[in-house]
Amino acid sequence: MKKVFLFILSSILFTACSEDHLDVSPNVNTDVVIKTVDDLDRLFYGTISTNGTEHQANVWCHDNASMPQEILDETSSFSDEQIEHYTFSTIMGSRSSDQTWRSYYGQMLVVSNLVLGQLEEGKIKGMEDQALVDLLTAEAHFYRAHNHFNLALTYALYPNEANNDEPGIVIKQTSSVTESQERATVKETFDFILTELDEALKYPNTEKKGRFRIGKPSVHALAARIHLYLGNYDKAKTHADTALSGFSTMINFENSISILPYTLWYGPYVYPNTAQLASWQQAGSDFYNDQYWYFYETNGYWNTSPSQELLDLYDPADIRNVFYIDGWFSRNGATTNTWTSYMNMGPGDTYAGPNVAEMYLTRAECKARDNDFAGAMADVEMVRINRFAAADYSPLSIPTSNKDAVNEVINERRREAPFTLRFMDIKRLNNDPLTDPIVITRNINGETITIQPDSRAWARPIGDEIIILSAGATVQNQY
């Protein structure tokens, strides 16, 4: 029987893990010899860094972020690449490597395509274990749907009728390096994502096989996020309902969030206990155990900087205020305006997988659009009641129009996931007739930059090295 060897490459690393280590964060070991279906199963336990990626657009390309001019004048707190994203530049002259593209096309996508290829070939031992074969097949399709969706969200225009024939992303269905590098259209891209999602929904088990694996509710949570983005509100609500039926445990911040009685080596600031969570280690998933699938994003630096508009959305008693570290940029030499930095995990990181709060807010928005205002606000309050001390909590008033109700939900999404969902939300809301257009204005270095809702800059540019390595098969976005 043919053996398949996976060697350590620059973009993908594997380790063989026994079932005694299902809850251990992935780490580096050596090459894996695939002989059996069980070996394929171990690949999903043992892929390094598959539970996180760098994503600058999600941090900077929206109105929740800011770069105060005083900090730009006095320090080098923000990288050139971050400034280019913040200003929606379509020429990323400073970027030496497109880490978001590389991450989503490497790691778990390569593993998933390899697993599907081996199962389709059917020559390895253990194929008679149909239950495991079905589980691995659905799980591989889940990761393919997840990665392709995040790539399309970042690099493609919003999928509406006017953009159907615009460039989407490169669809990768095999682990072969000779597979086409040409971009599919936007329509072809999202048709593929939905097909993958349908296959992933065949996942048989409610429970996860391990900390960094998925369960049936995980797939429904991803489906809810994707269908909300596409404006398929009935489907988004159905999948959010199903995800919550399978798992609905919220983290109560009154009981879980505290102020550290000491300062960290980052500097002499007031920190929440979450600031000492290393996103790539088990501690992150231990604390944020409300995620349907543990996944985090990083901006690569310690400088996630909120806008005043975002800060003004929080009630003074909201416990989430402690995630904003006042005076943070003094550590870089800022004196005129030391500002603040967001830190619900270690510096620069934030959880990004669909979680229980997101499902409540997804369902709330769908109810609001269907004129169920009381039902919508009941779901919003399921989140808020866990974000205030019991003595400080009071429910919001119930809106009287679906536009006001939707806006209330959107504001709660901004408070809850300010640097993971806002980029996605603006792209979809700017294609929604119910909500007002969202225009982004940047005043930076004496220049005013305005990003209109129909700007092509919402599709972020692909790294030059990707274009070069594809020998021109992967084309750049046109601006």
Side-chain angles (χ1 to χ4, degrees), residues 130-420:
Q130 193 61 50
L132 182 56
V133 168
D134 290 345
L135 183 148
L136 294 177
T137 299
E139 188 162 5
H141 284 293
F142 170 88
Y143 294 122
R144 289 214 308 203
H146 174 270
N147 283 24
H148 282 92
F149 173 67
N150 281 284
L151 285 159
L153 180 63
T154 307
Y155 298 102
L157 294 170
Y158 184 79
N160 57 28
E161 187 174 350
N163 294 332
N164 274 345
D165 294 328
E166 293 281 357
I169 59 170
V170 177
I171 293 176
K172 296 293 291 182
Q173 301 184 69
T174 76
S175 55
S176 171
V177 296
T178 63
E179 189 174 7
S180 173
Q181 298 296 306
E182 294 183 5
R183 296 173 71 175
T185 66
V186 166
K187 185 179 187 306
E188 290 167 342
T189 295
F190 279 91
D191 284 348
F192 174 76
I193 291 168
L194 292 177
T195 297
E196 292 299 299
L197 194 56
D198 285 342
E199 293 300 314
L201 285 165
K202 298 175 184 177
Y203 191 88
N205 296 352
T206 297
E207 298 298 323
K208 300 178 182 180
K209 292 193 69 177
R211 180 186 305 273
F212 299 104
R213 299 290 291 269
I214 67 168
K216 187 83 168 181
S218 314
V219 189
H220 284 288
L222 176 63
R225 178 182 284 189
I226 292 173
H227 282 293
L228 185 73
Y229 181 67
L230 296 176
N232 300 331
Y233 301 116
D234 287 345
K235 291 182 178 180
K237 180 178 180 295
T238 296
H239 287 296
D241 270 335
T242 308
L244 289 167
S245 294
F247 178 72
S248 60
T249 301
M250 287 279 293
I251 298 175
N252 183 283
F253 280 9
E254 181 178 15
N255 299 329
S256 301
I257 302 293
S258 60
I259 299 298
L260 293 180
Y262 51 84
T263 62
L264 300 172
W265 63 273
Y266 311 147
Y269 309 106
V270 178
Y271 296 99
N273 55 330
T274 56
Q276 59 190 342
L277 296 176
S279 55
W280 61 92
Q281 294 178 347
Q282 186 169 317
S285 61
D286 280 341
F287 188 89
Y288 287 113
N289 57 9
D290 60 339
Q291 287 198 296
Y292 289 97
W293 176 50
Y294 180 72
F295 191 77
Y296 72 90
E297 291 177 346
T298 178
N299 69 11
Y301 298 84
W302 294 11
N303 61 1
T304 304
S305 176
S307 64
Q308 187 62 54
E309 179 182 333
L310 171 63
L311 296 176
D312 290 344
L313 290 175
Y314 290 92
D315 185 289
D318 193 320
I319 296 172
R320 289 170 292 194
N321 284 303
V322 304
F323 294 148
Y324 295 92
I325 312 300
D326 289 337
W328 178 256
F329 289 94
S330 65
R331 65 188 301 276
N332 299 109
T335 58
T336 306
N337 180 3
T338 56
W339 201 226
T340 186
S341 183
Y342 183 74
M343 206 176 297
N344 70 340
M345 298 186 81
D349 297 340
T350 186
Y351 63 84
N355 68 356
V356 173
E358 182 184 339
M359 291 303 101
Y360 275 119
L361 296 177
T362 296
R363 191 170 70 178
E365 182 177 337
C366 297
K367 289 179 178 179
R369 291 177 181 278
D370 199 32
N371 297 319
D372 180 6
F373 309 140
M377 295 311 295
D379 280 341
V380 170
E381 297 304 336
M382 286 297 297
V383 176
R384 295 183 72 254
I385 200 170
N386 286 286
R387 301 300 183 251
F388 288 78
D392 297 329
Y393 168 75
S394 60
L396 299 171
S397 59
I398 296 177
T400 57
S401 73
N402 56 0
K403 181 177 181 179
D404 289 344
V406 167
N407 285 334
E408 197 70 74
V409 177
I410 296 302
N411 284 340
E412 193 61 36
R413 286 172 67 89
R414 293 182 71 176
R415 290 185 284 263
E416 182 66 19
F419 297 98
T420 51

Side-chain angles (χ1 to χ4, degrees), residues 17 34 48 57 80 128 168 192 215 286 291 296 319 371 391 417 450 461 475:
C17 299
I34 299 176
I48 188 171
D80 290 342
E128 68 278 2
F192 174 76
D286 280 341
Q291 287 198 296
Y296 72 90
I319 296 172
N371 297 319
T450 302
V475 298

